[in-house]
Amino acid sequence: SGVANELALFHGTSKTLPSEIYNSESGFDMRFCTSGMWGIAIYFAANSRYSHSYSHQTPSGLRQMFYSRVLVGDSKLVMPHDRSLRKPPRKEVLHNEFYEDYDSVHGNTKSSDVYMIYENSRAYPEYLISYIFNP
């Protein structure tokens, strides 16, 4: 579609060691994904507070999440969520006589915009943020 829309977003890795992401060739990897509100995808949030609930916790108690560059491209708002998604939906119009899919999906949950990508190499883990959480 020619839309190169890049966003700076947060990503918590939960049980996956952050080093599995920043030391790998592909970075964020769909093979580590599990089902979520918008299907099996790599999830990113505009609000770090949302990603905190998915942050990785080290044995010493530090919390970690990524600040990432994500190519969302032409993103489709999907509300309410759709757990059956495995890729972004198809666009309504033909482009050069071929059907074209959206590049990503976005929605809103827990007061944060969230973006889902369904393929590797659309996001770069720019910074690993380590912090102490004092509720």
Short mmCIF file of all heavy atoms in Angstrom, two decimals, residues 47-108:
data_model
loop_
_atom_site.label_atom_id
_atom_site.label_comp_id
_atom_site.label_asym_id
_atom_site.label_seq_id
_atom_site.Cartn_x
_atom_site.Cartn_y
_atom_site.Cartn_z
N ASN A 47 1.03 2.80 25.80
CA ASN A 47 1.14 3.17 27.20
C ASN A 47 2.04 2.17 27.93
O ASN A 47 1.74 0.97 27.97
CB ASN A 47 -0.26 3.18 27.82
CG ASN A 47 -0.30 3.69 29.22
OD1 ASN A 47 0.66 3.55 29.98
ND2 ASN A 47 -1.42 4.27 29.60
N SER A 48 3.13 2.63 28.52
CA SER A 48 4.04 1.73 29.23
C SER A 48 3.37 1.05 30.42
O SER A 48 3.74 -0.06 30.80
CB SER A 48 5.29 2.48 29.69
OG SER A 48 4.96 3.49 30.62
N ARG A 49 2.38 1.69 31.01
CA ARG A 49 1.67 1.09 32.13
C ARG A 49 0.99 -0.22 31.71
O ARG A 49 0.97 -1.18 32.46
CB ARG A 49 0.62 2.07 32.69
CG ARG A 49 -0.15 1.48 33.86
CD ARG A 49 -1.11 2.47 34.45
NE ARG A 49 -0.31 3.44 35.19
CZ ARG A 49 -0.77 4.60 35.62
NH1 ARG A 49 -2.00 4.96 35.37
NH2 ARG A 49 0.00 5.42 36.29
N TYR A 50 0.45 -0.25 30.50
CA TYR A 50 -0.16 -1.48 29.99
C TYR A 50 0.90 -2.56 29.84
O TYR A 50 0.72 -3.71 30.25
CB TYR A 50 -0.85 -1.22 28.65
CG TYR A 50 -1.47 -2.45 28.06
CD1 TYR A 50 -2.74 -2.85 28.44
CD2 TYR A 50 -0.78 -3.23 27.13
CE1 TYR A 50 -3.31 -4.00 27.91
CE2 TYR A 50 -1.33 -4.37 26.60
CZ TYR A 50 -2.60 -4.75 27.00
OH TYR A 50 -3.15 -5.91 26.47
N SER A 51 2.04 -2.22 29.24
CA SER A 51 3.11 -3.21 29.03
C SER A 51 3.74 -3.67 30.34
O SER A 51 4.30 -4.76 30.41
CB SER A 51 4.18 -2.65 28.10
OG SER A 51 3.65 -2.52 26.80
N HIS A 52 3.67 -2.84 31.39
CA HIS A 52 4.20 -3.25 32.69
C HIS A 52 3.58 -4.57 33.14
O HIS A 52 4.27 -5.43 33.70
CB HIS A 52 3.98 -2.17 33.74
CG HIS A 52 4.23 -2.65 35.14
ND1 HIS A 52 5.50 -2.88 35.61
CD2 HIS A 52 3.38 -3.02 36.13
CE1 HIS A 52 5.42 -3.34 36.85
NE2 HIS A 52 4.14 -3.43 37.18
N SER A 53 2.29 -4.75 32.89
CA SER A 53 1.64 -5.99 33.34
C SER A 53 2.16 -7.22 32.61
O SER A 53 1.93 -8.34 33.03
CB SER A 53 0.12 -5.88 33.20
OG SER A 53 -0.24 -5.67 31.85
N TYR A 54 2.91 -7.01 31.51
CA TYR A 54 3.53 -8.12 30.76
C TYR A 54 5.05 -8.06 30.85
O TYR A 54 5.75 -8.78 30.13
CB TYR A 54 3.10 -8.05 29.29
CG TYR A 54 1.63 -8.24 29.12
CD1 TYR A 54 0.78 -7.14 29.00
CD2 TYR A 54 1.06 -9.51 29.11
CE1 TYR A 54 -0.59 -7.31 28.86
CE2 TYR A 54 -0.30 -9.68 28.98
CZ TYR A 54 -1.12 -8.58 28.85
OH TYR A 54 -2.48 -8.76 28.72
N SER A 55 5.58 -7.22 31.73
CA SER A 55 7.03 -7.05 31.82
C SER A 55 7.69 -8.32 32.35
O SER A 55 7.08 -9.11 33.07
CB SER A 55 7.38 -5.85 32.69
OG SER A 55 6.95 -6.06 34.02
N HIS A 56 8.94 -8.49 31.97
CA HIS A 56 9.75 -9.61 32.46
C HIS A 56 10.30 -9.23 33.83
O HIS A 56 10.69 -8.09 34.05
CB HIS A 56 10.89 -9.89 31.48
CG HIS A 56 11.80 -10.98 31.93
ND1 HIS A 56 11.44 -12.31 31.85
CD2 HIS A 56 13.03 -10.95 32.48
CE1 HIS A 56 12.41 -13.04 32.32
NE2 HIS A 56 13.39 -12.24 32.71
N GLN A 57 10.31 -10.18 34.75
CA GLN A 57 10.90 -9.92 36.06
C GLN A 57 12.14 -10.78 36.23
O GLN A 57 12.09 -12.00 36.07
CB GLN A 57 9.90 -10.20 37.18
CG GLN A 57 10.42 -9.75 38.53
CD GLN A 57 9.32 -9.70 39.59
OE1 GLN A 57 8.17 -9.97 39.33
NE2 GLN A 57 9.70 -9.33 40.79
N THR A 58 13.26 -10.13 36.54
CA THR A 58 14.53 -10.84 36.73
C THR A 58 14.55 -11.48 38.11
O THR A 58 13.75 -11.10 38.99
CB THR A 58 15.73 -9.88 36.59
OG1 THR A 58 15.72 -8.97 37.70
CG2 THR A 58 15.70 -9.13 35.28
N PRO A 59 15.47 -12.42 38.35
CA PRO A 59 15.57 -13.02 39.69
C PRO A 59 15.83 -11.98 40.79
O PRO A 59 15.42 -12.17 41.93
CB PRO A 59 16.76 -13.98 39.55
CG PRO A 59 16.78 -14.34 38.11
CD PRO A 59 16.34 -13.09 37.39
N SER A 60 16.48 -10.86 40.45
CA SER A 60 16.75 -9.82 41.46
C SER A 60 15.57 -8.87 41.67
O SER A 60 15.65 -7.97 42.49
CB SER A 60 17.99 -9.01 41.06
OG SER A 60 17.73 -8.27 39.89
N GLY A 61 14.48 -9.04 40.89
CA GLY A 61 13.30 -8.22 41.07
C GLY A 61 13.17 -7.06 40.10
O GLY A 61 12.17 -6.33 40.13
N LEU A 62 14.17 -6.85 39.25
CA LEU A 62 14.06 -5.80 38.23
C LEU A 62 12.96 -6.16 37.24
O LEU A 62 12.78 -7.33 36.91
CB LEU A 62 15.37 -5.65 37.44
CG LEU A 62 16.46 -4.78 38.02
CD1 LEU A 62 17.67 -4.82 37.10
CD2 LEU A 62 16.00 -3.36 38.21
N ARG A 63 12.25 -5.17 36.78
CA ARG A 63 11.26 -5.37 35.72
C ARG A 63 11.88 -4.89 34.42
O ARG A 63 12.66 -3.93 34.41
CB ARG A 63 9.98 -4.59 36.01
CG ARG A 63 9.36 -4.86 37.36
CD ARG A 63 8.83 -6.25 37.46
NE ARG A 63 7.57 -6.36 36.76
CZ ARG A 63 6.56 -7.09 37.16
NH1 ARG A 63 6.64 -7.79 38.26
NH2 ARG A 63 5.46 -7.15 36.46
N GLN A 64 11.51 -5.54 33.30
CA GLN A 64 12.07 -5.16 32.01
C GLN A 64 11.00 -5.18 30.93
O GLN A 64 10.13 -6.06 30.91
CB GLN A 64 13.20 -6.12 31.61
CG GLN A 64 14.39 -6.06 32.54
CD GLN A 64 15.47 -7.01 32.13
OE1 GLN A 64 15.22 -8.17 31.84
NE2 GLN A 64 16.71 -6.51 32.10
N MET A 65 11.07 -4.19 30.05
CA MET A 65 10.22 -4.14 28.86
C MET A 65 11.00 -3.44 27.76
O MET A 65 11.99 -2.75 28.02
CB MET A 65 8.90 -3.43 29.13
CG MET A 65 9.00 -1.93 29.27
SD MET A 65 7.43 -1.07 29.42
CE MET A 65 6.98 -1.45 31.09
N PHE A 66 10.55 -3.62 26.54
CA PHE A 66 11.21 -3.00 25.40
C PHE A 66 10.50 -1.73 24.97
O PHE A 66 9.26 -1.65 25.02
CB PHE A 66 11.23 -3.95 24.19
CG PHE A 66 12.26 -5.03 24.30
CD1 PHE A 66 11.90 -6.31 24.63
CD2 PHE A 66 13.60 -4.75 24.06
CE1 PHE A 66 12.85 -7.32 24.72
CE2 PHE A 66 14.55 -5.75 24.15
CZ PHE A 66 14.18 -7.04 24.48
N TYR A 67 11.29 -0.76 24.57
CA TYR A 67 10.83 0.41 23.83
C TYR A 67 11.20 0.08 22.38
O TYR A 67 12.38 -0.14 22.08
CB TYR A 67 11.55 1.67 24.32
CG TYR A 67 11.22 2.92 23.58
CD1 TYR A 67 10.08 3.66 23.90
CD2 TYR A 67 12.04 3.40 22.56
CE1 TYR A 67 9.78 4.83 23.23
CE2 TYR A 67 11.74 4.56 21.88
CZ TYR A 67 10.61 5.28 22.22
OH TYR A 67 10.31 6.44 21.55
N SER A 68 10.22 -0.01 21.51
CA SER A 68 10.42 -0.60 20.19
C SER A 68 9.97 0.33 19.08
O SER A 68 9.06 1.13 19.26
CB SER A 68 9.62 -1.89 20.08
OG SER A 68 9.89 -2.73 21.17
N ARG A 69 10.59 0.17 17.93
CA ARG A 69 10.14 0.81 16.69
C ARG A 69 9.34 -0.23 15.94
O ARG A 69 9.84 -1.31 15.65
CB ARG A 69 11.33 1.27 15.85
CG ARG A 69 12.15 2.35 16.50
CD ARG A 69 11.38 3.64 16.52
NE ARG A 69 12.14 4.66 17.23
CZ ARG A 69 11.73 5.89 17.33
NH1 ARG A 69 10.61 6.27 16.79
NH2 ARG A 69 12.44 6.76 18.00
N VAL A 70 8.08 0.11 15.64
CA VAL A 70 7.17 -0.86 15.03
C VAL A 70 6.60 -0.29 13.74
O VAL A 70 6.04 0.80 13.72
CB VAL A 70 6.01 -1.21 16.00
CG1 VAL A 70 5.11 -2.29 15.41
CG2 VAL A 70 6.55 -1.65 17.36
N LEU A 71 6.76 -1.04 12.66
CA LEU A 71 6.17 -0.65 11.38
C LEU A 71 4.73 -1.17 11.35
O LEU A 71 4.49 -2.33 11.07
CB LEU A 71 6.96 -1.26 10.22
CG LEU A 71 8.35 -0.69 10.01
CD1 LEU A 71 9.09 -1.48 8.94
CD2 LEU A 71 8.28 0.77 9.63
N VAL A 72 3.80 -0.28 11.69
CA VAL A 72 2.39 -0.68 11.69
C VAL A 72 1.77 -0.48 10.32
O VAL A 72 0.72 -1.05 10.02
CB VAL A 72 1.57 0.05 12.78
CG1 VAL A 72 2.09 -0.30 14.17
CG2 VAL A 72 1.57 1.55 12.57
N GLY A 73 2.39 0.34 9.48
CA GLY A 73 1.88 0.56 8.12
C GLY A 73 0.44 1.02 8.12
O GLY A 73 0.03 1.86 8.91
N ASP A 74 -0.34 0.43 7.24
CA ASP A 74 -1.77 0.73 7.14
C ASP A 74 -2.50 -0.19 8.13
O ASP A 74 -2.74 -1.35 7.85
CB ASP A 74 -2.25 0.49 5.71
CG ASP A 74 -3.63 1.04 5.45
OD1 ASP A 74 -4.23 1.65 6.37
OD2 ASP A 74 -4.12 0.87 4.31
N SER A 75 -2.80 0.35 9.31
CA SER A 75 -3.34 -0.45 10.41
C SER A 75 -4.86 -0.38 10.45
O SER A 75 -5.45 0.69 10.25
CB SER A 75 -2.76 0.06 11.73
OG SER A 75 -3.09 -0.79 12.80
N LYS A 76 -5.50 -1.49 10.74
CA LYS A 76 -6.96 -1.59 10.78
C LYS A 76 -7.44 -1.61 12.22
O LYS A 76 -6.99 -2.42 13.03
CB LYS A 76 -7.40 -2.87 10.05
CG LYS A 76 -8.85 -3.24 10.22
CD LYS A 76 -9.74 -2.39 9.38
CE LYS A 76 -11.17 -2.93 9.43
NZ LYS A 76 -12.13 -2.00 8.88
N LEU A 77 -8.35 -0.70 12.57
CA LEU A 77 -8.98 -0.71 13.88
C LEU A 77 -9.94 -1.90 13.95
O LEU A 77 -10.84 -2.03 13.10
CB LEU A 77 -9.75 0.59 14.13
CG LEU A 77 -10.56 0.66 15.43
CD1 LEU A 77 -9.65 0.59 16.64
CD2 LEU A 77 -11.40 1.92 15.45
N VAL A 78 -9.73 -2.76 14.93
CA VAL A 78 -10.61 -3.92 15.14
C VAL A 78 -11.15 -3.83 16.56
O VAL A 78 -10.47 -4.13 17.53
CB VAL A 78 -9.86 -5.26 14.92
CG1 VAL A 78 -10.78 -6.43 15.23
CG2 VAL A 78 -9.34 -5.36 13.50
N MET A 79 -12.39 -3.37 16.67
CA MET A 79 -13.09 -3.25 17.95
C MET A 79 -14.52 -3.73 17.74
O MET A 79 -15.14 -3.30 16.78
CB MET A 79 -13.09 -1.81 18.46
CG MET A 79 -11.74 -1.29 18.92
SD MET A 79 -11.03 -2.13 20.34
CE MET A 79 -12.04 -1.55 21.67
N PRO A 80 -15.07 -4.60 18.56
CA PRO A 80 -14.36 -5.25 19.67
C PRO A 80 -13.28 -6.18 19.15
O PRO A 80 -13.18 -6.44 17.96
CB PRO A 80 -15.46 -6.01 20.39
CG PRO A 80 -16.49 -6.28 19.34
CD PRO A 80 -16.41 -5.14 18.38
N HIS A 81 -12.49 -6.72 20.09
CA HIS A 81 -11.38 -7.59 19.71
C HIS A 81 -11.86 -8.86 19.00
O HIS A 81 -13.05 -9.19 19.03
CB HIS A 81 -10.56 -7.95 20.96
CG HIS A 81 -11.33 -8.72 21.98
ND1 HIS A 81 -12.08 -8.11 22.95
CD2 HIS A 81 -11.48 -10.04 22.16
CE1 HIS A 81 -12.65 -9.03 23.70
NE2 HIS A 81 -12.31 -10.21 23.24
N ASP A 82 -10.92 -9.56 18.38
CA ASP A 82 -11.23 -10.78 17.63
C ASP A 82 -10.12 -11.79 17.87
O ASP A 82 -9.05 -11.71 17.28
CB ASP A 82 -11.36 -10.46 16.13
CG ASP A 82 -11.70 -11.67 15.28
OD1 ASP A 82 -11.70 -12.80 15.81
OD2 ASP A 82 -11.94 -11.48 14.09
N ARG A 83 -10.37 -12.74 18.77
CA ARG A 83 -9.36 -13.75 19.15
C ARG A 83 -9.01 -14.71 18.02
O ARG A 83 -8.02 -15.42 18.11
CB ARG A 83 -9.84 -14.53 20.37
CG ARG A 83 -9.92 -13.72 21.62
CD ARG A 83 -10.34 -14.58 22.82
NE ARG A 83 -10.53 -13.77 24.00
CZ ARG A 83 -9.54 -13.41 24.82
NH1 ARG A 83 -8.32 -13.79 24.57
NH2 ARG A 83 -9.80 -12.66 25.88
N SER A 84 -9.79 -14.74 16.96
CA SER A 84 -9.54 -15.69 15.87
C SER A 84 -8.53 -15.20 14.85
O SER A 84 -8.14 -15.94 13.95
CB SER A 84 -10.86 -16.03 15.16
OG SER A 84 -11.31 -14.92 14.41
N LEU A 85 -8.07 -13.95 14.97
CA LEU A 85 -7.15 -13.40 13.97
C LEU A 85 -5.81 -14.16 13.93
O LEU A 85 -5.26 -14.49 14.97
CB LEU A 85 -6.86 -11.93 14.24
CG LEU A 85 -8.00 -10.95 13.98
CD1 LEU A 85 -7.61 -9.55 14.44
CD2 LEU A 85 -8.39 -10.95 12.52
N ARG A 86 -5.33 -14.39 12.73
CA ARG A 86 -4.00 -14.97 12.51
C ARG A 86 -3.18 -14.08 11.59
O ARG A 86 -1.99 -14.29 11.40
CB ARG A 86 -4.10 -16.37 11.88
CG ARG A 86 -4.82 -17.39 12.74
CD ARG A 86 -4.04 -17.67 14.01
NE ARG A 86 -4.71 -18.57 14.91
CZ ARG A 86 -5.48 -18.21 15.94
NH1 ARG A 86 -5.71 -16.94 16.18
NH2 ARG A 86 -6.03 -19.10 16.72
N LYS A 87 -3.85 -13.08 11.01
CA LYS A 87 -3.22 -12.08 10.15
C LYS A 87 -4.18 -10.90 10.09
O LYS A 87 -5.35 -11.02 10.45
CB LYS A 87 -2.94 -12.63 8.76
CG LYS A 87 -4.18 -12.99 7.95
CD LYS A 87 -3.77 -13.52 6.59
CE LYS A 87 -4.94 -13.60 5.66
NZ LYS A 87 -5.39 -12.32 5.14
N PRO A 88 -3.71 -9.74 9.64
CA PRO A 88 -4.62 -8.60 9.51
C PRO A 88 -5.72 -8.90 8.48
O PRO A 88 -5.50 -9.69 7.56
CB PRO A 88 -3.72 -7.47 9.02
CG PRO A 88 -2.34 -7.87 9.41
CD PRO A 88 -2.32 -9.37 9.33
N PRO A 89 -6.88 -8.29 8.63
CA PRO A 89 -7.97 -8.54 7.67
C PRO A 89 -7.67 -7.99 6.29
O PRO A 89 -6.79 -7.14 6.11
CB PRO A 89 -9.17 -7.82 8.30
CG PRO A 89 -8.64 -6.94 9.36
CD PRO A 89 -7.26 -7.39 9.70
N ARG A 90 -8.42 -8.47 5.34
CA ARG A 90 -8.30 -8.03 3.94
C ARG A 90 -8.96 -6.66 3.79
O ARG A 90 -9.98 -6.38 4.39
CB ARG A 90 -9.00 -9.05 3.05
CG ARG A 90 -8.93 -8.70 1.57
CD ARG A 90 -9.51 -9.79 0.72
NE ARG A 90 -8.55 -10.91 0.70
CZ ARG A 90 -8.86 -12.13 0.34
NH1 ARG A 90 -10.08 -12.43 -0.03
NH2 ARG A 90 -7.94 -13.07 0.34
N LYS A 91 -8.36 -5.84 2.94
CA LYS A 91 -8.96 -4.55 2.63
C LYS A 91 -10.18 -4.76 1.74
O LYS A 91 -10.29 -5.77 1.05
CB LYS A 91 -7.94 -3.64 1.93
CG LYS A 91 -6.79 -3.25 2.83
CD LYS A 91 -5.83 -2.34 2.13
CE LYS A 91 -4.69 -1.95 3.04
NZ LYS A 91 -3.76 -1.04 2.36
N GLU A 92 -11.05 -3.79 1.75
CA GLU A 92 -12.31 -3.88 1.01
C GLU A 92 -12.15 -3.74 -0.49
O GLU A 92 -12.99 -4.14 -1.26
CB GLU A 92 -13.29 -2.82 1.51
CG GLU A 92 -13.63 -2.94 2.98
CD GLU A 92 -14.44 -4.18 3.30
OE1 GLU A 92 -15.29 -4.57 2.47
OE2 GLU A 92 -14.21 -4.77 4.37
N VAL A 93 -11.05 -3.13 -0.92
CA VAL A 93 -10.89 -2.83 -2.35
C VAL A 93 -9.74 -3.63 -2.95
O VAL A 93 -8.80 -4.02 -2.26
CB VAL A 93 -10.64 -1.33 -2.58
CG1 VAL A 93 -11.83 -0.51 -2.16
CG2 VAL A 93 -9.39 -0.86 -1.85
N LEU A 94 -9.83 -3.84 -4.22
CA LEU A 94 -8.73 -4.47 -4.96
C LEU A 94 -7.68 -3.42 -5.28
O LEU A 94 -7.99 -2.28 -5.56
CB LEU A 94 -9.25 -5.07 -6.27
CG LEU A 94 -10.04 -6.35 -6.17
CD1 LEU A 94 -10.59 -6.72 -7.54
CD2 LEU A 94 -9.19 -7.48 -5.64
N HIS A 95 -6.42 -3.82 -5.24
CA HIS A 95 -5.32 -2.93 -5.59
C HIS A 95 -4.55 -3.61 -6.72
O HIS A 95 -3.98 -4.68 -6.53
CB HIS A 95 -4.41 -2.70 -4.38
CG HIS A 95 -3.29 -1.77 -4.65
ND1 HIS A 95 -3.49 -0.42 -4.84
CD2 HIS A 95 -1.97 -1.98 -4.78
CE1 HIS A 95 -2.32 0.14 -5.06
NE2 HIS A 95 -1.38 -0.78 -5.03
N ASN A 96 -4.55 -3.00 -7.88
CA ASN A 96 -3.90 -3.60 -9.06
C ASN A 96 -4.42 -5.01 -9.33
O ASN A 96 -3.67 -5.91 -9.67
CB ASN A 96 -2.38 -3.61 -8.89
CG ASN A 96 -1.79 -2.23 -8.86
OD1 ASN A 96 -2.35 -1.30 -9.43
ND2 ASN A 96 -0.68 -2.08 -8.18
N GLU A 97 -5.72 -5.18 -9.15
CA GLU A 97 -6.41 -6.44 -9.40
C GLU A 97 -6.04 -7.56 -8.44
O GLU A 97 -6.31 -8.73 -8.69
CB GLU A 97 -6.23 -6.89 -10.85
CG GLU A 97 -6.79 -5.88 -11.84
CD GLU A 97 -6.86 -6.43 -13.24
OE1 GLU A 97 -6.98 -7.65 -13.41
OE2 GLU A 97 -6.79 -5.62 -14.17
N PHE A 98 -5.40 -7.23 -7.31
CA PHE A 98 -5.09 -8.21 -6.28
C PHE A 98 -5.72 -7.73 -4.98
O PHE A 98 -5.77 -6.54 -4.70
CB PHE A 98 -3.57 -8.34 -6.07
CG PHE A 98 -2.86 -8.93 -7.24
CD1 PHE A 98 -2.22 -8.12 -8.16
CD2 PHE A 98 -2.84 -10.31 -7.43
CE1 PHE A 98 -1.56 -8.66 -9.25
CE2 PHE A 98 -2.19 -10.86 -8.51
CZ PHE A 98 -1.55 -10.05 -9.42
N TYR A 99 -6.16 -8.69 -4.18
CA TYR A 99 -6.61 -8.34 -2.84
C TYR A 99 -5.40 -8.00 -1.99
O TYR A 99 -4.33 -8.59 -2.15
CB TYR A 99 -7.38 -9.49 -2.19
CG TYR A 99 -8.76 -9.68 -2.76
CD1 TYR A 99 -9.05 -10.75 -3.60
CD2 TYR A 99 -9.76 -8.78 -2.47
CE1 TYR A 99 -10.31 -10.92 -4.13
CE2 TYR A 99 -11.03 -8.92 -2.98
CZ TYR A 99 -11.30 -10.00 -3.81
OH TYR A 99 -12.54 -10.15 -4.32
N GLU A 100 -5.57 -7.04 -1.11
CA GLU A 100 -4.49 -6.60 -0.26
C GLU A 100 -4.95 -6.65 1.19
O GLU A 100 -6.09 -6.29 1.50
CB GLU A 100 -4.11 -5.16 -0.64
CG GLU A 100 -2.86 -4.67 0.00
CD GLU A 100 -2.47 -3.28 -0.48
OE1 GLU A 100 -3.19 -2.68 -1.30
OE2 GLU A 100 -1.44 -2.79 -0.02
N ASP A 101 -4.08 -7.11 2.07
CA ASP A 101 -4.36 -7.13 3.50
C ASP A 101 -3.86 -5.85 4.15
O ASP A 101 -2.93 -5.21 3.65
CB ASP A 101 -3.66 -8.31 4.19
CG ASP A 101 -4.21 -9.66 3.76
OD1 ASP A 101 -5.37 -9.72 3.32
OD2 ASP A 101 -3.48 -10.65 3.89
N TYR A 102 -4.43 -5.50 5.30
CA TYR A 102 -3.86 -4.44 6.12
C TYR A 102 -2.50 -4.91 6.62
O TYR A 102 -2.22 -6.12 6.63
CB TYR A 102 -4.78 -4.09 7.29
CG TYR A 102 -5.98 -3.29 6.87
CD1 TYR A 102 -7.18 -3.91 6.55
CD2 TYR A 102 -5.90 -1.91 6.80
CE1 TYR A 102 -8.29 -3.16 6.15
CE2 TYR A 102 -6.99 -1.15 6.40
CZ TYR A 102 -8.18 -1.78 6.08
OH TYR A 102 -9.25 -1.04 5.67
N ASP A 103 -1.67 -3.98 7.07
CA ASP A 103 -0.33 -4.33 7.55
C ASP A 103 -0.32 -4.75 9.01
O ASP A 103 0.55 -5.50 9.44
CB ASP A 103 0.62 -3.14 7.38
CG ASP A 103 0.74 -2.75 5.91
OD1 ASP A 103 0.96 -3.65 5.08
OD2 ASP A 103 0.62 -1.55 5.61
N SER A 104 -1.28 -4.25 9.78
CA SER A 104 -1.36 -4.55 11.21
C SER A 104 -2.78 -4.28 11.68
O SER A 104 -3.63 -3.83 10.91
CB SER A 104 -0.36 -3.70 12.01
OG SER A 104 -0.71 -2.33 11.93
N VAL A 105 -3.01 -4.54 12.95
CA VAL A 105 -4.31 -4.32 13.58
C VAL A 105 -4.08 -3.49 14.84
O VAL A 105 -3.04 -3.61 15.49
CB VAL A 105 -4.95 -5.69 13.95
CG1 VAL A 105 -6.11 -5.56 14.90
CG2 VAL A 105 -5.37 -6.43 12.68
N HIS A 106 -5.03 -2.63 15.17
CA HIS A 106 -4.94 -1.92 16.44
C HIS A 106 -6.30 -1.86 17.11
O HIS A 106 -7.33 -2.06 16.48
CB HIS A 106 -4.34 -0.51 16.26
CG HIS A 106 -5.18 0.43 15.47
ND1 HIS A 106 -5.18 0.47 14.10
CD2 HIS A 106 -6.05 1.40 15.86
CE1 HIS A 106 -6.01 1.40 13.67
NE2 HIS A 106 -6.56 1.99 14.74
N GLY A 107 -6.26 -1.64 18.41
CA GLY A 107 -7.47 -1.53 19.21
C GLY A 107 -7.14 -0.80 20.50
O GLY A 107 -6.08 -0.19 20.63
N ASN A 108 -8.04 -0.88 21.47
CA ASN A 108 -7.84 -0.22 22.74
C ASN A 108 -8.31 -1.13 23.85
O ASN A 108 -9.39 -1.70 23.77
CB ASN A 108 -8.59 1.12 22.79
CG ASN A 108 -8.20 1.94 23.99
OD1 ASN A 108 -8.61 1.63 25.11
ND2 ASN A 108 -7.40 2.96 23.78
#
